Amino acid sequence: MADQAEKLRNIIKAQSQSRHQAARVITVTSGKGGVGKSNTAINLAIQFRKMDQKVIILDADFGLANIEIMFGTVPKYNLYDLIYQGKNIRDIITWGPMEVGFISGGSGIVGMANLSRDYLNYIVQNLVELDSMADVIIVDTGAGISDAVLEFLVASNEILLVTTPEPTSITDSYSLMKALNRHSRFSPDYTSINVLANKVRNEEEGDMLYHKLDAVVSRYLKVPIEYLGYIPQDEQLARAVMQQMPVSIQNPSAKSALAFRSAAMKLMHQEEEDKKTKQGMMAFFSHIMTGRR
């Protein structure tokens, strides 16, 4: 496996020398299901589009289809078809509302480290093209602390943790941070973690939620987390979900839509302030594949 990882690194290095740009990769996650993670990913994507950003969502919640259900569409191909069936990157992108791109993960990443050099080269070439197609790529992980979720988190240099005021959600969010912190390839210096308080009654409840989580994370893990903001409970959002339409499109003046807009603007401001080199999808996947030794 060490030879395979070295082979991949050489391919990545060769491709990187000809790369002109890289997308920003934001990985959205949660400690448990039902907290609104996928809804957050979609509405942030819409808000980024309203800021003239080209956006693609990768649904990495294997076995579920939250993004495609909310988009009201079924993708013809997924990441598995790119890796194993010879499809190219454009074949597997489904275009949703406001031209937000969507890629279904399928089960394509499993076993990628065992692929031949020709297969790896083909995949990397396609991922280079994906970088040039988007300004922002949002990765929607599964919920919880599975190995697959942790692989995505350690590969990302920008994590958005969605949590709610429910005690189990706060506890599970801490457990996820604890598992991430224990991972052999996790680096706090490499990774920024934002917390989004969802389904809260008001600003005060959102602040309180964040401070509860930050207190235990800072004390026991010493992993820095930042507060991105809150999304309020909103009947308009629930109605939009039932109608398979992002609230940011269906009702842009809804309080939840305005909160998603504020969160997206803060993320844009963070990028301008940090002035970090964008990670890019190619680097993101190379981190996952080289980690499978």
Side-chain angles (χ1 to χ4, degrees):
M1 286 297 181
D3 290 341
Q4 181 77 351
E6 182 63 28
K7 176 170 63 178
L8 176 60
R9 278 191 288 269
N10 290 336
I11 294 172
I12 295 291
K13 182 178 179 180
Q15 293 291 340
S16 296
Q17 290 174 351
S18 61
R19 184 177 60 178
H20 298 293
Q21 68 180 76
R24 179 183 187 183
V25 180
I26 302 173
T27 302
V28 182
T29 194
S30 64
K32 66 186 293 290
V35 302
K37 171 180 56 63
S38 296
N39 204 20
T40 295
I42 288 177
N43 279 282
L44 285 178
I46 296 299
Q47 295 297 340
F48 279 130
R49 281 294 298 128
K50 291 183 178 182
M51 300 176 197
D52 294 324
Q53 298 291 292
K54 294 178 290 184
V55 187
I56 293 175
I57 300 174
L58 170 62
D59 187 355
D61 194 350
F62 305 137
L64 298 177
N66 291 336
I67 300 293
E68 61 191 69
I69 290 173
M70 293 180 186
F71 267 8
T73 184
V74 178
K76 188 175 181 180
Y77 302 112
N78 58 36
L79 191 62
Y80 180 93
D81 297 298
L82 168 70
I83 298 170
Y84 300 105
Q85 302 299 323
K87 299 298 179 181
N88 65 48
I89 197 71
R90 296 181 184 274
D91 291 331
I92 69 170
I93 298 177
T94 301
W95 297 99
M98 289 188 63
E99 297 184 341
V100 171
F102 159 61
I103 297 175
S104 173
S107 56
I109 295 175
V110 179
M112 285 177 74
N114 297 318
L115 297 174
S116 69
R117 181 183 180 87
D118 287 342
Y119 261 113
L120 288 172
N121 196 39
Y122 175 77
I123 294 166
V124 170
Q125 286 175 349
N126 273 271
L127 294 177
V128 172
E129 187 174 356
L130 185 60
D131 267 342
S132 68
M133 294 172 65
D135 299 305
V136 180
I137 297 173
I138 298 176
V139 179
D140 181 29
T141 76
I145 315 175
S146 68
D147 289 341
V149 169
L150 291 174
E151 284 291 330
F152 281 109
L153 296 183
V154 297
S156 181
N157 64 0
E158 197 167 353
I159 296 171
L160 176 56
L161 174 63
V162 182
T163 189
T164 72
E166 293 180 13
T168 53
S169 179
I170 299 173
T171 300
D172 289 341
S173 293
Y174 171 74
S175 296
L176 177 61
M177 290 295 96
K178 183 178 179 180
L180 178 62
N181 189 50
R182 288 180 171 178
H183 197 286
S184 61
R185 289 188 288 115
F186 173 69
S187 171
D189 296 332
Y190 170 80
T191 310
S192 65
I193 302 173
N194 281 297
V195 174
L196 185 68
N198 195 25
K199 302 181 181 181
V200 298
R201 289 172 296 180
N202 49 45
E203 182 178 357
E204 289 72 23
E205 187 174 46
D207 289 340
M208 187 180 300
L209 189 164
Y210 166 72
H211 288 300
K212 283 181 180 178
L213 182 59
D214 183 51
V216 291
V217 170
S218 298
R219 180 176 180 180
Y220 297 108
L221 305 181
K222 294 180 172 54
V223 175
I225 61 176
E226 296 184 36
Y227 186 43
L228 186 66
Y230 72 99
I231 309 298
Q233 286 275 20
D234 186 6
E235 292 181 2
Q236 296 294 334
L237 187 150
R239 186 175 296 115
V241 170
M242 292 298 295
Q243 296 176 2
Q244 294 179 269
M245 179 65 68
V247 69
S248 296
I249 293 178
Q250 187 180 78
N251 191 346
S253 61
K255 57 184 181 180
S256 56
L258 294 175
F260 281 121
R261 178 188 176 194
S262 176
M265 291 179 68
K266 286 181 181 178
L267 287 170
M268 290 292 289
H269 181 69
Q270 283 181 3
E271 183 184 24
E272 294 172 0
E273 287 289 307
D274 293 344
K275 298 187 184 303
K276 293 179 180 178
T277 302
K278 293 182 180 179
Q279 176 184 17
M281 204 58 167
M282 184 179 70
F284 179 86
F285 270 106
S286 73
H287 199 292
I288 292 174
M289 290 186 280
T290 54
R292 295 180 179 273
R293 301 183 183 184

